[in-house]
Amino acid sequence: MTTIISVRRGGEVAVGGDGQVSMDKTISKGDARKVRRAANGKVITGFAGGTADAFALLERLETRLEQYPSQLTRACVELAKDWRTDRAMRRLEALLIVANEETTLMLSGLGDVIEPEREEGGSVIAIGSGGTYAQAAGLALLRNTDLSAEEIVRESLSIAARIDVYTNETVTVETMKR
Protein backbone atom coordinates (compact mmCIF):
# COMPACT_ATOMS: atom_id res chain seq x y z
CA MET A 1 0.00 0.00 0.00
CA THR A 2 1.04 3.56 -0.47
CA THR A 3 -0.12 7.09 -1.13
CA ILE A 4 0.31 8.94 -4.43
CA ILE A 5 -1.11 12.43 -4.99
CA SER A 6 -1.09 14.89 -7.87
CA VAL A 7 -1.85 18.58 -7.53
CA ARG A 8 -2.16 21.03 -10.38
CA ARG A 9 -2.05 24.74 -9.55
CA GLY A 10 -1.30 27.63 -11.85
CA GLY A 11 1.19 26.46 -14.43
CA GLU A 12 2.66 23.72 -12.22
CA VAL A 13 1.81 20.06 -11.70
CA ALA A 14 3.36 18.02 -8.90
CA VAL A 15 3.12 14.27 -8.33
CA GLY A 16 4.38 12.82 -5.07
CA GLY A 17 4.40 9.56 -3.21
CA ASP A 18 5.66 8.03 -0.02
CA GLY A 19 8.34 5.35 0.10
CA GLN A 20 6.84 2.57 2.20
CA VAL A 21 6.65 -0.96 0.84
CA SER A 22 4.62 -3.34 3.00
CA MET A 23 4.14 -7.07 2.89
CA ASP A 24 1.11 -8.01 4.95
CA LYS A 25 1.73 -6.33 8.33
CA THR A 26 5.46 -5.83 7.84
CA ILE A 27 7.33 -2.85 6.42
CA SER A 28 9.88 -4.29 4.00
CA LYS A 29 11.31 -1.04 2.68
CA GLY A 30 10.93 2.58 3.65
CA ASP A 31 12.51 4.46 0.76
CA ALA A 32 11.02 3.04 -2.44
CA ARG A 33 10.64 5.43 -5.36
CA LYS A 34 7.05 5.18 -6.65
CA VAL A 35 7.08 8.44 -8.61
CA ARG A 36 9.10 8.51 -11.83
CA ARG A 37 9.50 10.30 -15.12
CA ALA A 38 8.56 8.69 -18.44
CA ALA A 39 8.59 9.68 -22.11
CA ASN A 40 12.01 11.34 -21.91
CA GLY A 41 10.95 13.36 -18.87
CA LYS A 42 7.74 14.73 -20.42
CA VAL A 43 5.40 12.64 -18.25
CA ILE A 44 5.37 12.07 -14.49
CA THR A 45 3.99 8.74 -13.23
CA GLY A 46 3.10 7.47 -9.77
CA PHE A 47 1.87 4.02 -8.83
CA ALA A 48 0.10 2.25 -6.00
CA GLY A 49 -0.44 -1.48 -5.66
CA GLY A 50 1.74 -4.42 -6.60
CA THR A 51 5.21 -3.21 -7.55
CA ALA A 52 5.85 -5.81 -10.24
CA ASP A 53 2.38 -5.16 -11.66
CA ALA A 54 3.00 -1.41 -11.67
CA PHE A 55 6.34 -1.81 -13.46
CA ALA A 56 4.67 -3.98 -16.11
CA LEU A 57 2.05 -1.27 -16.61
CA LEU A 58 4.65 1.48 -16.75
CA GLU A 59 6.51 -0.42 -19.49
CA ARG A 60 3.29 -0.71 -21.48
CA LEU A 61 2.58 2.98 -20.89
CA GLU A 62 6.02 3.87 -22.27
CA THR A 63 5.19 1.86 -25.40
CA ARG A 64 1.87 3.65 -25.81
CA LEU A 65 3.52 7.03 -25.26
CA GLU A 66 5.99 6.18 -28.05
CA GLN A 67 3.04 5.29 -30.31
CA TYR A 68 1.15 8.46 -29.45
CA PRO A 69 3.71 11.15 -28.62
CA SER A 70 2.20 14.34 -27.21
CA GLN A 71 -1.16 12.54 -26.80
CA LEU A 72 -1.20 11.51 -23.13
CA THR A 73 -4.95 10.92 -23.00
CA ARG A 74 -4.94 8.69 -26.09
CA ALA A 75 -1.95 6.69 -24.81
CA CYS A 76 -3.71 6.18 -21.47
CA VAL A 77 -7.02 5.17 -23.05
CA GLU A 78 -5.19 2.61 -25.20
CA LEU A 79 -3.36 1.27 -22.13
CA ALA A 80 -6.66 1.01 -20.22
CA LYS A 81 -8.23 -0.90 -23.13
CA ASP A 82 -5.28 -3.31 -23.16
CA TRP A 83 -5.49 -3.66 -19.39
CA ARG A 84 -9.15 -4.70 -19.57
CA THR A 85 -8.95 -6.99 -22.58
CA ASP A 86 -5.54 -8.70 -22.39
CA ARG A 87 -5.83 -11.89 -20.34
CA ALA A 88 -2.45 -11.49 -18.61
CA MET A 89 -2.86 -7.77 -17.98
CA ARG A 90 -6.30 -8.21 -16.41
CA ARG A 91 -4.60 -9.79 -13.40
CA LEU A 92 -2.37 -6.78 -12.76
CA GLU A 93 -3.28 -5.05 -9.50
CA ALA A 94 -2.13 -1.46 -9.45
CA LEU A 95 -3.33 2.08 -9.99
CA LEU A 96 -1.47 4.79 -11.87
CA ILE A 97 -1.45 8.56 -11.86
CA VAL A 98 0.11 10.12 -14.95
CA ALA A 99 0.60 13.80 -15.69
CA ASN A 100 2.17 16.04 -18.29
CA GLU A 101 2.16 19.82 -18.72
CA GLU A 102 -1.53 19.86 -19.69
CA THR A 103 -3.30 16.78 -18.30
CA THR A 104 -3.50 14.64 -15.17
CA LEU A 105 -5.14 11.19 -15.30
CA MET A 106 -5.77 8.25 -12.97
CA LEU A 107 -5.84 4.78 -14.57
CA SER A 108 -7.21 1.52 -13.18
CA GLY A 109 -7.57 -2.06 -14.33
CA LEU A 110 -11.33 -1.58 -14.52
CA GLY A 111 -10.80 0.57 -17.61
CA ASP A 112 -11.04 3.85 -15.75
CA VAL A 113 -9.22 6.85 -17.19
CA ILE A 114 -10.25 9.67 -14.87
CA GLU A 115 -9.27 13.30 -15.06
CA PRO A 116 -9.59 15.05 -11.69
CA GLU A 117 -12.38 17.52 -11.20
CA ARG A 118 -11.18 21.06 -11.67
CA GLU A 119 -11.41 23.18 -8.56
CA GLU A 120 -11.10 26.93 -8.47
CA GLY A 121 -7.37 27.33 -8.76
CA GLY A 122 -6.40 23.78 -9.71
CA SER A 123 -7.07 20.08 -9.24
CA VAL A 124 -6.19 17.22 -6.89
CA ILE A 125 -6.30 13.44 -7.34
CA ALA A 126 -4.83 10.68 -5.19
CA ILE A 127 -4.60 6.88 -5.05
CA GLY A 128 -3.48 4.20 -2.62
CA SER A 129 -4.32 3.31 0.94
CA GLY A 130 -3.77 6.88 2.13
CA GLY A 131 -5.16 8.45 -1.03
CA THR A 132 -8.43 9.67 0.45
CA TYR A 133 -6.61 11.37 3.34
CA ALA A 134 -4.09 13.01 1.02
CA GLN A 135 -6.80 14.10 -1.41
CA ALA A 136 -8.90 15.65 1.37
CA ALA A 137 -5.86 17.50 2.72
CA GLY A 138 -4.87 18.58 -0.79
CA LEU A 139 -8.31 19.96 -1.55
CA ALA A 140 -8.39 21.91 1.72
CA LEU A 141 -4.91 23.33 1.08
CA LEU A 142 -5.77 24.18 -2.54
CA ARG A 143 -8.90 26.05 -1.47
CA ASN A 144 -7.54 27.78 1.61
CA THR A 145 -3.86 28.56 1.04
CA ASP A 146 -1.53 30.06 -1.53
CA LEU A 147 0.90 27.12 -1.33
CA SER A 148 2.46 25.88 -4.58
CA ALA A 149 1.45 22.54 -6.09
CA GLU A 150 4.64 20.95 -4.75
CA GLU A 151 4.09 22.34 -1.25
CA ILE A 152 0.51 21.03 -1.23
CA VAL A 153 1.70 17.57 -2.32
CA ARG A 154 4.34 17.47 0.42
CA GLU A 155 1.97 18.63 3.16
CA SER A 156 -0.83 16.29 2.00
CA LEU A 157 1.53 13.31 2.09
CA SER A 158 2.70 14.30 5.55
CA ILE A 159 -0.91 14.41 6.77
CA ALA A 160 -1.70 11.05 5.16
CA ALA A 161 1.38 9.51 6.82
CA ARG A 162 0.05 10.54 10.22
CA ILE A 163 -3.24 8.71 9.57
CA ASP A 164 -2.52 5.74 7.25
CA VAL A 165 -0.24 3.01 8.65
CA TYR A 166 0.80 2.02 5.10
CA THR A 167 2.18 5.50 4.30
CA ASN A 168 5.45 6.93 5.59
CA GLU A 169 7.09 10.36 5.50
CA THR A 170 9.85 9.44 3.04
CA VAL A 171 8.60 11.40 0.05
CA THR A 172 9.49 11.68 -3.63
CA VAL A 173 8.01 14.59 -5.58
CA GLU A 174 8.42 15.41 -9.27
CA THR A 175 7.19 18.70 -10.71
CA MET A 176 6.63 20.12 -14.15
CA LYS A 177 5.84 23.66 -15.23
CA ARG A 178 3.93 24.77 -18.28
mmCIF file of all heavy atoms in Angstrom, residues 51 74-75 104 116 133 145 165:
data_model
loop_
_atom_site.group_PDB
_atom_site.id
_atom_site.type_symbol
_atom_site.label_atom_id
_atom_site.label_comp_id
_atom_site.label_asym_id
_atom_site.label_seq_id
_atom_site.Cartn_x
_atom_site.Cartn_y
_atom_site.Cartn_z
ATOM 1 N N THR A 51 4.076 -3.846 -6.887
ATOM 2 C CA THR A 51 5.211 -3.207 -7.546
ATOM 3 C C THR A 51 5.507 -3.832 -8.902
ATOM 4 O O THR A 51 5.687 -3.125 -9.896
ATOM 5 C CB THR A 51 6.456 -3.271 -6.645
ATOM 6 O OG1 THR A 51 6.118 -2.693 -5.380
ATOM 7 C CG2 THR A 51 7.614 -2.508 -7.234
ATOM 8 N N ARG A 74 -4.775 9.822 -25.158
ATOM 9 C CA ARG A 74 -4.943 8.691 -26.089
ATOM 10 C C ARG A 74 -4.078 7.515 -25.648
ATOM 11 O O ARG A 74 -4.525 6.369 -25.666
ATOM 12 C CB ARG A 74 -4.577 9.123 -27.502
ATOM 13 C CG ARG A 74 -4.591 7.966 -28.481
ATOM 14 C CD ARG A 74 -5.457 8.221 -29.663
ATOM 15 N NE ARG A 74 -5.612 7.023 -30.462
ATOM 16 C CZ ARG A 74 -5.284 6.936 -31.728
ATOM 17 N NH1 ARG A 74 -4.796 7.980 -32.355
ATOM 18 N NH2 ARG A 74 -5.481 5.821 -32.387
ATOM 19 N N ALA A 75 -2.835 7.767 -25.274
ATOM 20 C CA ALA A 75 -1.950 6.692 -24.814
ATOM 21 C C ALA A 75 -2.540 5.992 -23.593
ATOM 22 O O ALA A 75 -2.514 4.764 -23.492
ATOM 23 C CB ALA A 75 -0.563 7.249 -24.505
ATOM 24 N N THR A 104 -3.741 15.611 -16.235
ATOM 25 C CA THR A 104 -3.498 14.637 -15.169
ATOM 26 C C THR A 104 -4.583 13.577 -15.281
ATOM 27 O O THR A 104 -5.760 13.905 -15.433
ATOM 28 C CB THR A 104 -3.570 15.292 -13.774
ATOM 29 O OG1 THR A 104 -2.625 16.356 -13.708
ATOM 30 C CG2 THR A 104 -3.276 14.282 -12.680
ATOM 31 N N PRO A 116 -9.032 14.478 -12.923
ATOM 32 C CA PRO A 116 -9.586 15.046 -11.691
ATOM 33 C C PRO A 116 -10.495 16.229 -11.971
ATOM 34 O O PRO A 116 -10.313 16.947 -12.948
ATOM 35 C CB PRO A 116 -8.347 15.486 -10.907
ATOM 36 C CG PRO A 116 -7.258 15.594 -11.902
ATOM 37 C CD PRO A 116 -7.587 14.650 -13.017
ATOM 38 N N TYR A 133 -7.093 10.390 2.360
ATOM 39 C CA TYR A 133 -6.613 11.375 3.345
ATOM 40 C C TYR A 133 -5.812 12.467 2.639
ATOM 41 O O TYR A 133 -5.981 13.656 2.914
ATOM 42 C CB TYR A 133 -5.736 10.705 4.406
ATOM 43 C CG TYR A 133 -6.373 9.494 5.038
ATOM 44 C CD1 TYR A 133 -5.794 8.241 4.937
ATOM 45 C CD2 TYR A 133 -7.576 9.605 5.751
ATOM 46 C CE1 TYR A 133 -6.375 7.126 5.516
ATOM 47 C CE2 TYR A 133 -8.167 8.492 6.326
ATOM 48 C CZ TYR A 133 -7.561 7.252 6.211
ATOM 49 O OH TYR A 133 -8.150 6.161 6.772
ATOM 50 N N THR A 145 -5.222 28.042 0.900
ATOM 51 C CA THR A 145 -3.863 28.565 1.036
ATOM 52 C C THR A 145 -3.352 29.032 -0.324
ATOM 53 O O THR A 145 -3.975 28.775 -1.352
ATOM 54 C CB THR A 145 -2.879 27.491 1.569
ATOM 55 O OG1 THR A 145 -2.652 26.509 0.550
ATOM 56 C CG2 THR A 145 -3.389 26.828 2.832
ATOM 57 N N VAL A 165 -1.406 3.788 8.201
ATOM 58 C CA VAL A 165 -0.238 3.010 8.648
ATOM 59 C C VAL A 165 0.599 2.481 7.487
ATOM 60 O O VAL A 165 1.725 2.044 7.689
ATOM 61 C CB VAL A 165 -0.638 1.846 9.573
ATOM 62 C CG1 VAL A 165 -1.273 2.374 10.847
ATOM 63 C CG2 VAL A 165 -1.558 0.864 8.870
#
